[in-house]
């Protein structure tokens, strides 16, 4: 198993290198540069700034410099946030995004799984229609619509919760963004659990289990639940990565200092080092999360083995 | 007692704003939503207006701003200007102190000026100090830093020598590029001196904590020379890019001042929070750049004039924007010190007369419905820019003008403008200091921000003459003459003058609208 993990990590290196190379050159190909803004700088000021960030060098040379620094664990200074290095910004933003994302996933599992199971067990009843109808709405309505509504209703009109801000991760500040972020995931999880559960409940071994005289509760808990979770687990890996890296809109709307905001701002500001830093970081994160999901998969399904 | 003091502001504001539960954490904490995360707390490493909100509370220059934006003595208690207007001698307050208790000396200013003009500092805004003798040469490495025109005559006497008389120089000294930095701290910590743990400042407040992308907390600086008159104990700045989020947080009572509320909400705010909604004339112009380079149809002055004549500015300000903007018939906004703007000739004509004249001009230029004028119009991403561009394209249609609209994000947009890849391009300019020169210099030949490459020798000569004229009113007259020339040439197409838009808790006292939209927390207090 350990060897398998090492092998997977080793295999990720060329993938990451391709991601880095493509991102680097695409970024430099994009029109507009870090010093293009409403005010054009005098030529000597711009030349000086370009030199300070090696932008006066040919792009291939900049690429080699970047790779060299990256190998030493140096993501470089942010062009925009001049008091911070990219490493520091990621180190500040990531725990916030992670915390938010994990709560959202936890909520998605805590609500999505039981709702999906109930809908599957009450298939084609009003309960099923209600759950699936709500889930469909949850999938269809984007979170940039849900988030401002939540802020308006619970923050402004009812004044139960803060409208925005992070406040060191106080639970009151977290409620609305976590809910906004998890609604789609709850809906997806419920739909997927239902579908998977229905498929498993119709399989031969469940029929056999019932024929052996097991109670319905035993059939579901001992035989149906675990295999039903497999597709859900495989979905949750990328979902976690997606939530952590993709909570940009929610972070923006609720003013949360996560990594997603940096990514968007960096792209708009042409903050090359910060864009690259977040891309590389996301790349590593996705590789790791996929690996974790595969390992979880094997833990849940004894038929899947990762031989050394 | 403490509870009473906590509740007091809520009771005050409730009477004025039923929907605003303005309950600050404590009575003397001001909470401001600024428009973005500051790039730094080092005044040499910033370039945005939202950064000015923070830097101007933490630092103080030789000259500073009163609540109404007027310039008043800051670290300098007095100054003398030589007869030829090139030498300024400042007396620095004896009680000027850094927040660590060390005195603020003339040497700190010498150090700061040399530092910002050192290419190694990579300061975006260093060029604002180019009026100082040898500043450009020092920045360009052609002169030693010691030759810069700034000298400490003694610990409390500072002399600044200029290249030439620059009447707006005193105003510039209140800008953050001219703030002092503490030599003893910068030398100790290097580039990390501006980290919250190390930062020492000389303004009414000092930084206590900076939680990136969330909040910057500053508390009263007990060493500030006028600390006794500062009412607030604490100021918290919340960087909020989303204007609607700032509005919601204001409505929920989480913040006291929201900078730049969303224009779309103006009507609702006027109806529901009239006491809190502030709009005021602002030192800025929204205009279209007309490309004067050969090969572009807009190189023809007749075309430029026709395009300008056909724009119904009142429709744009009243029906499309509707947030109090004023239609612009000059390039320099009104309200600039010692200046009376020139106006476009057709300002008094009716719209029918304007259109008739515009049609004549287009015909003279060789365009007609059979031979329509094809123009590309570039604007950067924003709902308001889009609406204005569509409206103007429709206004040009009766002239037989066919417009291709190009939208791009801000970096791409300005890269295109600087490369001249446009016929008509959206632009705006907010004054760095309250002087007409700051606007008119955009039209001087060869200047970096002269995107349309307008060039008129007579205009340039008048601007040079103004630069050498010390008598302020006469100088203003010369610049008015220059502006008149540029308007006759239709060098640009002015559309409207900006307004500042702020939401302010009515319980706040001392917050005054002003043309530069500068509001230092030093002057603000909560009602008793």
């Amino acid at each position: 198993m350990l060897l398998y993990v090492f092998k997977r990590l080793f295999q990720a290196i060329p993938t990451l290198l391709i991601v880095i190379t493509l991102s680097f050159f695409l970024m430099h190909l994009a029109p507009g540069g870090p010093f293009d803004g409403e005010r054009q700088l005098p030529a000597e000021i711009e030349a000086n700034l370009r030199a300070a960030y090696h932008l006066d060098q040919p792009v291939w040379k900049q690429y080699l410099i970047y790779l060299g620094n990256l190998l030493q664990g140096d993501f470089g200074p942010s062009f925009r946030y001049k008091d911070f290095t990219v490493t520091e910004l990621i180190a500040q933003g990531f725990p916030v995004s992670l915390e938010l994302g994990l709560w959202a996933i936890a909520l998605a599992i805590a609500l999505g799984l039981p709702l999906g199971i109930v809908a599957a067990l009450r298939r084609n009843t009003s309960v099923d229609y209600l759950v699936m109808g709500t889930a469909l709405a949850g999938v269809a309505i984007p979170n940039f619509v849900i988030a401002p509504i939540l802020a308006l209703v619970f923050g402004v009109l009812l004044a139960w919760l803060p409208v925005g801000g992070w406040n060191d991760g106080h639970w009151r500040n977290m409620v609305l963004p976590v809910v906004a972020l998890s609604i789609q995931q709850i809906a997806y999880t419920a739909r997927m659990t239902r579908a998977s559960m229905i498929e498993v409940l119709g399989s031969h071994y469940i029929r056999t289990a019932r024929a052996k005289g097991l109670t319905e509760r035993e059939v579901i808990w001992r035989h149906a639940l675990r295999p039903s979770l497999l597709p859900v687990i495989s979905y949750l890996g990328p979902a976690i990565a997606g939530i952590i890296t993709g909570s940009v809109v929610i972070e923006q709307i609720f003013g949360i200092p996560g990594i997603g905001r940096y990514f968007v701002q960096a792209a708009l500001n042409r903050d090359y080092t910060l864009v690259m830093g977040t891309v590389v970081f996301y790349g590593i994160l996705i590789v790791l999360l996929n690996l974790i999901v595969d390992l979880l998969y094997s833990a849940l399904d004894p038929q899947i083995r990762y031989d050394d | 007692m403490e509870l009473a003091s906590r509740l007091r502001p809520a009771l005050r504001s409730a009477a004025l704003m039923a929907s605003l539960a303005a309950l600050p954490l404590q009575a003397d904490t001001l909470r401001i939503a600024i428009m973005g995360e500051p790039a730094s707390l080092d005044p040499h490493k910033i370039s945005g207006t939202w950064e000015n909100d923070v830097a101007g509370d933490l630092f103080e220059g030789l000259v500073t701003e009163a609540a109404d934006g007027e310039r008043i003595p800051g670290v300098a208690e007095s100054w003398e200007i030589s007869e030829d207007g090139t030498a300024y001698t400042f007396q620095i307050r004896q009680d000027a102190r850094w927040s660590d208790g060390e005195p603020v000396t003339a040497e700190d200013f010498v150090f700061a000026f040399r530092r910002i003009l050192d290419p190694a500092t990579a300061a975006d805004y260093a060029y604002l100090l180019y009026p100082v003798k040898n500043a450009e040469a020092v920045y360009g490495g052609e002169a030693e830093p010691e030759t810069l025109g700034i000298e400490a005559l003694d610990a409390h006497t500072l002399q600044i020598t200029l290249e030439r008389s620059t009447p707006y120089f005193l105003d510039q000294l209140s800008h953050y590029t001219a703030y002092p930095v503490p030599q003893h701290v910068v030398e100790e910590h290097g580039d990390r001196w501006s980290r919250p743990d190390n930062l020492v400042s000389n303004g009414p407040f000092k930084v206590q904590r900076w939680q990136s992308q969330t909040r910057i907390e500053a508390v009263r600086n007990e060493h500030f020379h006028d600390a006794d008159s500062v009412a607030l104990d604490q100021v918290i700045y919340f960087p909020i890019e989303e204007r609607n989020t700032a509005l919601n947080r204001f409505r929920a009572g989480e913040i006291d001042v929201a900078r730049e509320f969303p224009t779309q909400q103006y009507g609702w705010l006027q109806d529901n929070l009239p006491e809190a909604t502030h709009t005021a004339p602002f030192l800025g112009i929204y205009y279209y750049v007309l490309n004067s380079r050969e090969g572009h149809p807009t190189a023809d002055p007749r075309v430029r004039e026709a395009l300008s004549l056909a724009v119904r500015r009142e429709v744009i300000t009243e029906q499309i924007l509707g947030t109090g903007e004023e239609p612009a018939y000059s390039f320099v906004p009104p309200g600039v010190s010692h200046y009376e703007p020139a106006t476009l000739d057709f300002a008094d004509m009716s719209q029918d007369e304007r259109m008739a004249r515009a049609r004549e001009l287009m015909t003279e230029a060789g365009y007609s419905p059979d031979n329509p004028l094809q123009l590309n119009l570039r604007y950067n991403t924003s709902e308001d820019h889009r609406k204005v561009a569509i409206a103007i394209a429709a206004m040009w249609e009766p002239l037989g003008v066919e417009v291709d609209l190009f939208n791009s994000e801000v970096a791409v947009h300005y890269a295109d403008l600087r490369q001249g890849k446009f016929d008509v391009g959206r632009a705006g300019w907010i004054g760095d200091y309250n002087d007409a020169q700051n606007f008119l210099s955009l039209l001087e030949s060869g200047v970096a921000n002269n995107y349309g490459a307008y060039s008129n020798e007579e205009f340039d000569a008048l601007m040079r003459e103004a630069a050498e004229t010390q008598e302020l009113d006469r100088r203003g007259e010369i610049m008015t003459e220059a502006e008149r020339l540029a308007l006759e040439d239709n060098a640009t197409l002015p559309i409207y003058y900006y307004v500042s838009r702020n939401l302010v808790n009515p319980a706040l006292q001392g917050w005054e609208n002003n043309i530069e939209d500068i509001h230092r927390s030093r002057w603000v207090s909560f009602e008793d």
Side-chain angles (χ1 to χ4, degrees):
Chain A
M1 178 70 87
L2 207 60
L3 190 64
Y4 171 77
V5 172
F6 277 121
K7 221 191 286 180
R8 280 283 298 269
L9 291 177
F10 188 73
Q11 282 165 354
I13 292 172
T15 313
L16 285 173
L17 196 64
I18 292 169
V19 168
I20 291 167
T21 310
L22 275 178
S23 313
F24 190 91
F25 286 100
L26 282 175
M27 189 178 69
H28 280 81
L29 277 176
F35 309 116
D36 287 319
E38 211 153 56
R39 292 173 180 229
Q40 188 175 338
L41 300 171
E44 69 280 9
I45 302 257
E46 187 172 334
N48 176 41
L49 285 166
R50 295 182 73 83
Y53 295 108
H54 305 297
L55 296 176
D56 54 345
Q57 309 277 346
V59 178
W60 64 267
K61 213 166 185 179
Q62 291 179 45
Y63 173 70
L64 292 182
I65 293 171
Y66 184 76
L67 272 190
N69 290 339
L70 200 61
L71 283 175
Q72 295 168 52
D74 179 9
F75 283 96
S78 162
F79 286 18
R80 176 77 188 87
Y81 306 108
K82 295 180 181 176
D83 277 1
F84 300 94
T85 63
V86 171
T87 311
E88 285 171 324
L89 291 173
I90 292 174
Q92 280 176 17
F94 179 60
V96 173
S97 294
L98 183 69
E99 191 173 355
L100 196 66
L102 289 181
W103 277 113
I105 284 290
L107 194 62
I109 294 170
L111 291 179
L113 281 183
L115 284 172
I117 293 168
V118 167
L121 297 179
R122 304 269 184 279
R123 193 180 171 189
N124 295 334
T125 65
S126 51
V127 174
D128 183 21
Y129 296 144
L130 182 70
V131 171
M132 283 304 104
T134 315
L136 189 66
V139 172
I141 304 172
N143 55 17
F144 62 81
V145 173
I146 292 170
I149 294 172
L150 287 175
L152 197 66
V153 174
F154 296 100
V156 177
L157 300 178
L158 298 172
W160 290 349
L161 292 161
V163 174
W166 184 239
N167 202 11
D168 293 328
H170 192 283
W171 69 268
R172 284 171 53 81
N173 292 71
M174 235 189 284
V175 174
L176 293 181
V178 164
V179 170
L181 199 55
S182 63
I183 282 179
Q184 279 196 332
Q185 308 304 329
I186 293 170
Y188 272 122
T189 309
R191 285 165 65 86
M192 205 168 286
T193 309
R194 176 186 179 273
S196 171
M197 192 77 170
I198 287 171
E199 196 185 327
V200 170
L201 287 175
S203 62
H204 292 304
Y205 70 91
I206 294 291
R207 230 172 289 149
T208 312
R210 281 188 178 130
K212 279 163 55 182
L214 293 179
T215 63
E216 192 62 18
R217 180 184 292 264
E218 282 174 317
V219 169
I220 291 161
W221 283 102
R222 280 179 51 189
H223 297 285
L225 194 59
R226 210 153 77 158
S228 301
L229 289 183
L230 284 175
V232 182
I233 294 288
S234 64
Y235 159 74
L236 283 177
I240 293 173
I243 270 193
I244 293 168
T245 58
S247 55
V248 176
V249 175
I250 298 298
E251 289 178 10
Q252 197 86 7
I253 290 173
F254 290 103
I256 291 165
I259 195 171
R261 286 180 80 186
Y262 287 127
F263 188 51
V264 173
Q265 290 305 322
L268 290 175
N269 294 330
R270 302 288 192 274
D271 190 341
Y272 289 160
T273 43
L274 188 51
V275 169
M276 287 306 297
T278 41
V279 165
V280 173
F281 184 75
Y282 284 168
I284 295 171
L285 192 69
I286 288 167
V287 165
L288 288 179
L289 283 170
N290 279 333
L291 179 60
I292 290 168
V293 166
D294 286 349
L295 296 178
L296 262 182
Y297 222 78
S298 102
L300 278 174
D301 186 352
Q303 291 178 44
I304 299 171
R305 284 269 169 267
Y306 300 117
D307 295 325
D308 289 355
Chain B
M1 184 67 185
E2 194 193 354
L3 182 66
S5 69
R6 285 186 180 199
L7 287 175
R8 211 167 49 213
L11 295 172
R12 285 181 223 128
S13 54
L16 290 163
M17 289 167 41
S19 60
L20 256 189
L23 185 66
L25 298 171
Q26 57 187 88
D28 298 316
T29 296
L30 176 69
R31 299 151 312 161
I32 308 175
I34 55 173
M35 294 181 296
E37 173 83 344
S40 172
L41 296 180
D42 181 340
H44 294 171
K45 295 192 173 174
I46 55 178
S47 55
T49 50
W50 64 97
E51 291 157 337
N52 187 14
D53 284 349
V54 183
D57 280 353
L58 299 181
F59 292 88
E60 185 182 55
L62 291 162
V63 176
T64 190
E65 303 92 351
D68 61 3
E70 284 298 308
R71 299 305 191 270
I72 56 169
V75 178
E77 58 187 354
S78 64
W79 51 81
E80 284 173 13
I81 305 172
S82 66
E83 273 186 22
D84 66 354
T86 59
Y88 289 61
T89 308
F90 296 91
Q91 286 305 316
I92 291 175
R93 294 174 191 279
Q94 296 289 334
D95 56 352
R97 291 275 182 282
W98 292 104
S99 53
D100 61 359
E102 291 292 313
V104 177
T105 66
E107 274 300 339
D108 286 317
F109 282 92
V110 175
F111 176 77
F113 275 46
R114 287 179 183 167
R115 179 175 182 265
I116 192 172
L117 287 160
D118 180 348
T121 307
D124 300 12
Y125 253 9
Y127 63 92
L128 278 189
L129 291 178
Y130 278 3
V132 177
K133 192 173 177 60
N134 278 342
E136 199 167 350
V138 167
Y139 189 88
E142 294 149 20
E144 293 299 312
E146 291 73 26
T147 63
L148 190 64
I150 183 163
E151 188 184 357
L153 302 181
D154 62 49
H156 293 280
T157 311
L158 179 75
Q159 189 166 66
I160 300 179
T161 313
L162 307 186
E163 287 282 355
R164 63 186 71 84
S165 166
T166 310
Y168 53 88
F169 186 66
L170 268 182
D171 267 9
Q172 271 194 324
L173 289 177
S174 64
H175 193 267
Y176 50 74
T177 44
Y179 288 165
V181 294
Q183 184 172 1
H184 62 291
V185 182
V186 179
E187 285 175 350
E188 185 185 345
H189 296 287
D191 268 351
R192 300 178 77 86
W193 81 273
S194 54
R195 295 298 184 98
D197 293 344
N198 303 329
L199 188 83
V200 164
S201 62
N202 73 325
F205 297 90
K206 59 182 179 182
V207 73
Q208 191 178 43
R209 182 177 179 227
W210 182 0
Q211 199 184 359
S212 180
Q213 300 273 355
T214 308
R215 58 204 277 157
I216 297 167
E217 294 171 12
V219 293
R220 192 194 339 212
N221 173 11
E222 65 274 22
H223 291 291
F224 181 57
H225 59 83
D226 195 23
D228 291 345
S229 70
V230 177
L232 299 170
D233 292 325
Q234 189 180 31
V235 186
I236 306 176
Y237 311 87
F238 296 94
I240 305 176
E241 279 129 23
E242 267 289 307
R243 304 291 184 267
N244 280 308
T245 303
L247 169 61
N248 282 339
R249 292 188 71 176
F250 183 81
R251 288 179 64 192
E254 292 173 20
I255 50 178
D256 301 300
V257 175
R259 306 287 259 147
E260 266 211 27
F261 59 75
T263 50
Q264 300 86 340
Q265 302 293 336
Y266 186 56
W268 185 91
L269 286 165
Q270 275 183 312
D271 292 342
N272 294 280
L273 301 173
E275 300 281 346
T277 307
H278 290 240
T279 58
F282 187 35
L283 193 65
I285 176 86
Y286 184 107
Y287 67 105
Y288 274 1
V289 184
L290 302 170
N291 199 339
S292 299
R293 294 173 181 86
E294 281 305 315
H296 291 269
T298 40
D300 185 336
R302 293 168 298 188
V303 172
R304 295 202 298 266
E305 188 178 351
L307 294 177
S308 188
L309 279 159
V311 172
R312 294 156 70 188
R313 293 159 175 82
E314 286 75 8
V315 171
I316 292 169
T317 54
E318 287 162 23
Q319 291 171 30
I320 294 173
L321 301 166
T323 35
E325 289 83 359
E326 285 291 324
Y329 288 94
S330 64
F331 190 61
V332 180
V336 169
S337 306
H338 301 283
Y339 190 73
E340 191 60 48
T343 47
L344 284 162
D345 288 343
F346 57 79
D348 296 328
M349 286 162 71
S350 71
Q351 192 56 40
D352 287 345
E353 289 169 325
R354 290 181 199 176
M355 286 307 286
R357 175 77 186 130
R359 285 195 179 93
E360 279 173 26
L361 287 164
M362 289 296 275
T363 309
E364 280 176 32
Y367 297 104
S368 65
D370 296 334
N371 179 30
L373 169 61
Q374 301 278 348
L375 283 182
N376 71 57
L377 193 168
R378 289 189 181 271
Y379 64 96
N380 54 305
T381 308
S382 144
E383 185 53 23
D384 284 345
H385 299 339
R386 191 182 67 85
K387 285 194 289 190
V388 170
I390 290 171
I392 287 183
M395 291 170 191
W396 286 340
E397 212 177 295
L399 297 180
V401 178
E402 293 176 1
V403 180
D404 290 322
L405 296 176
F406 291 95
N407 167 226
S408 43
E409 52 167 315
V410 72
V412 180
H413 176 71
Y414 282 98
D416 285 339
L417 289 200
R418 67 198 289 188
Q419 288 164 28
K421 291 185 195 165
F422 66 101
D423 295 321
V424 182
R426 188 216 80 87
W429 190 263
I430 307 294
D432 295 304
Y433 41 91
N434 187 350
D435 194 278
Q437 182 272 350
N438 192 231
F439 290 87
L440 294 174
S441 65
L442 304 182
L443 302 176
E444 285 185 65
S445 304
V447 162
N449 288 299
N450 182 354
Y451 295 115
Y454 169 71
S455 181
N456 179 329
E457 281 179 21
E458 211 179 330
F459 177 90
D460 294 342
L462 283 167
M463 289 303 287
R464 280 195 298 275
E465 187 186 340
E468 285 157 14
T469 305
Q470 285 181 60
E471 205 276 302
L472 292 176
D473 290 331
R474 174 69 197 131
R475 177 174 169 270
E477 286 167 14
I478 297 167
M479 285 195 289
T480 302
E481 191 51 38
E483 183 179 15
R484 186 168 293 117
L485 274 181
L487 292 176
E488 279 170 12
D489 287 344
N490 288 283
T492 66
L493 197 166
I495 299 171
Y496 64 83
Y497 308 119
Y498 282 117
V499 286
S500 57
R501 303 188 303 269
N502 293 289
L503 293 174
V504 183
N505 183 342
L508 279 184
Q509 283 188 330
W511 202 98
E512 293 184 34
N513 292 332
N514 63 71
I515 191 167
E516 289 177 84
D517 198 25
I518 291 178
H519 307 278
R520 302 299 180 211
S521 304
R522 170 185 178 184
W523 310 112
V524 171
S525 62
F526 284 95
E527 280 175 13
D528 288 327

